[in-house]
Amino acid sequence: HILKTIALGQMLSLCICGTAISSQYLAEKYKVNTPMLQSFINYCLLFIVYTMMLAFQSGSDNLLDILKRKWWKYILLGLADVEANYLIVKAYQYTTLTSVQLLDCFGIPVLMALSWFVLYARYRVIHFIAVAVCLLGVGTMVGADILAGREDNSGSGVLIGDILVLLGASLYAVSNVCEEYIVKKLSRQEFLGMVGLFGTIISGIQLLIVEYEDIASIHWDWKVALLFVAFALCMFCLYSFMPLVIKVTSATSVNLGILTADLYSLFFGLFLFGYKFSGLYILSFTIIMVGFVLYCSTPTRTAEPAESSVPPVTIIGIDNLGLKLEENLPETHSEVL
């Protein structure tokens, strides 16, 4: 089970790595910075595949039925998901790569807290130790970045960038907890279909407002188009597979597993972007994987939600009541006589 969890987690990491590399190619080689357009294409794919599946389903799982009952909840979920993606990418314009990598981890304790209160997840000491080990691995990766000189690409307004990362990480946590709840209690198709529907609408409106000029200035050729397609396919695979992994593990476990995504990007960057190699990257990867295995080695337990203070009627209670009535019946009969 642990090996399967590790393999699934690293598959998601490679999907994230694919989105990072294609985005970096677009930004560095072709001067294209359109994160909302890239997200919009992904949401359109989710809409075409999963929202259409819901539209043709019958019964209470039908798209119209779901919209009638829970439309406002899915609007909020779609908003959280779209803005989480946008804020993290936007933060790179203001703050350092190092800050983004470190502060992005803020989402993990937020996710654990939300899981505690919303999903009634209960953690053991080993889970907290495992999270600490994973964060130590991220710290090692950031140290390697500093030594390699990759932290110098900061823009102006570092504080604004840091705030954007914290907000984005928190919204990711909200989206992931909602995803775990929907996938485990309802269905994967419902989550992806509704995120595809409202994600397409929200990101479409937002890209017209904030990225209209950037999109108009893109010099399209087959290489740029191919990078957009690569990003969209990697993101679509990430969204499609993540619910499957969350269903057999948890949102917290998945988020720990995908901490290695930055390291995969760095390894590819050695060949594609001329990054300097550091042995600390290997150490960082090892530490994160040790923490991930520790976390997966012991399952979390789920506490039952608080029950009503009114004691439930049981079969034994009904039987006892019947015996009491039988005992009192002769006395009642004699009084009537």
Side-chain angles (χ1 to χ4, degrees):
H1 177 72
I2 292 172
L3 288 173
K4 181 182 175 183
T5 305
I6 291 170
L8 291 170
Q10 297 320 291
M11 182 181 69
L12 296 179
S13 277
L14 288 170
C15 289
I16 295 171
C17 172
T19 64
I21 289 171
S22 52
S23 290
Q24 192 161 355
Y25 249 114
L26 283 169
E28 291 190 4
K29 305 285 185 184
Y30 301 99
K31 307 302 177 189
V32 175
N33 288 294
T34 54
M36 193 51 67
L37 174 60
Q38 290 163 242
S39 293
F40 175 72
I41 297 169
N42 167 55
Y43 289 122
C44 286
L45 289 175
L46 293 174
F47 176 84
I48 291 166
V49 176
Y50 295 105
T51 310
M52 289 297 104
M53 284 172 64
L54 287 179
F56 290 104
Q57 281 188 357
S58 57
S60 60
D61 291 334
N62 182 266
L63 177 63
L64 292 176
D65 248 32
I66 295 168
L67 285 173
K68 284 177 188 174
R69 290 181 282 116
K70 296 175 278 192
W71 62 270
W72 64 272
K73 295 179 182 177
Y74 283 115
I75 287 178
L76 294 176
L77 174 58
L79 190 64
D81 198 74
V82 170
E83 298 310 323
N85 285 321
Y86 180 71
L87 289 173
I88 294 291
V89 177
K90 192 71 176 172
Y92 282 102
Q93 296 178 20
Y94 296 97
T95 190
T96 62
L97 174 71
T98 303
S99 293
V100 173
Q101 288 172 332
L102 273 177
L103 295 175
D104 196 25
C105 296
F106 176 72
I108 292 173
V110 173
L111 183 56
M112 292 180 77
L114 288 172
S115 296
W116 181 285
F117 292 109
V118 177
L119 303 174
Y120 302 102
R122 294 296 178 262
Y123 304 101
R124 295 181 168 85
V125 175
I126 193 168
H127 294 122
F128 293 106
I129 294 171
V131 169
V133 170
C134 285
L135 297 182
L136 177 64
V138 174
T140 308
M141 175 176 63
V142 168
D145 283 343
I146 293 170
L147 292 173
R150 291 187 68 229
E151 83 287 0
D152 298 330
N153 59 335
S154 63
S156 58
V158 173
L159 180 60
I160 295 172
D162 291 349
I163 291 170
L164 290 177
V165 178
L166 293 174
L167 285 173
S170 300
L171 288 174
Y172 265 131
V174 171
S175 176
N176 285 163
V177 166
C178 293
E179 181 174 0
E180 182 173 351
Y181 180 86
I182 295 165
V183 166
K184 290 184 175 178
K185 303 279 186 183
L186 302 170
S187 75
R188 167 176 170 265
Q189 284 79 12
E190 181 170 329
F191 171 78
L192 293 172
M194 300 312 287
V195 166
L197 173 62
F198 290 110
T200 301
I201 295 168
I202 294 166
S203 62
I205 294 168
Q206 191 164 332
L207 77 86
L208 289 175
I209 296 170
V210 301
E211 287 186 358
Y212 176 77
E213 292 180 1
D214 293 325
I215 295 169
S217 65
I218 296 174
H219 299 291
W220 290 96
D221 62 25
W222 70 270
K223 291 179 182 176
V224 172
L226 190 63
L227 287 168
F228 269 99
V229 169
F231 177 93
L233 288 177
C234 287
M235 191 65 101
F236 178 76
C237 289
L238 175 67
Y239 271 73
S240 297
F241 291 130
M242 188 177 274
L244 296 173
V245 185
I246 284 177
K247 192 163 187 176
V248 297
T249 56
S250 69
T252 305
S253 173
V254 168
N255 275 265
L256 289 174
I258 61 178
L259 287 175
T260 55
D262 283 336
L263 287 162
Y264 289 130
S265 301
L266 290 168
F267 294 144
F268 281 108
L270 295 171
F271 306 100
L272 298 173
F273 304 109
Y275 293 159
K276 295 177 183 175
F277 178 76
S278 171
L280 288 175
Y281 290 140
I282 302 294
L283 178 62
S284 171
F285 182 84
T286 306
I287 293 172
I288 291 173
M289 291 308 298
V290 167
F292 184 45
V293 170
L294 267 178
Y295 188 93
C296 296
S297 65
T298 307
T300 57
R301 63 185 183 85
T302 304
E304 292 299 321
E307 298 290 342
S308 169
S309 57
V310 179
V313 178
T314 62
I315 299 299
I316 296 171
I318 292 171
D319 289 347
N320 286 341
L321 182 63
L323 288 171
K324 190 82 173 174
L325 287 172
E326 284 178 11
E327 288 171 5
N328 292 336
L329 193 59
E331 295 175 14
T332 307
H333 186 64
S334 61
E335 283 172 12
V336 170
L337 286 172

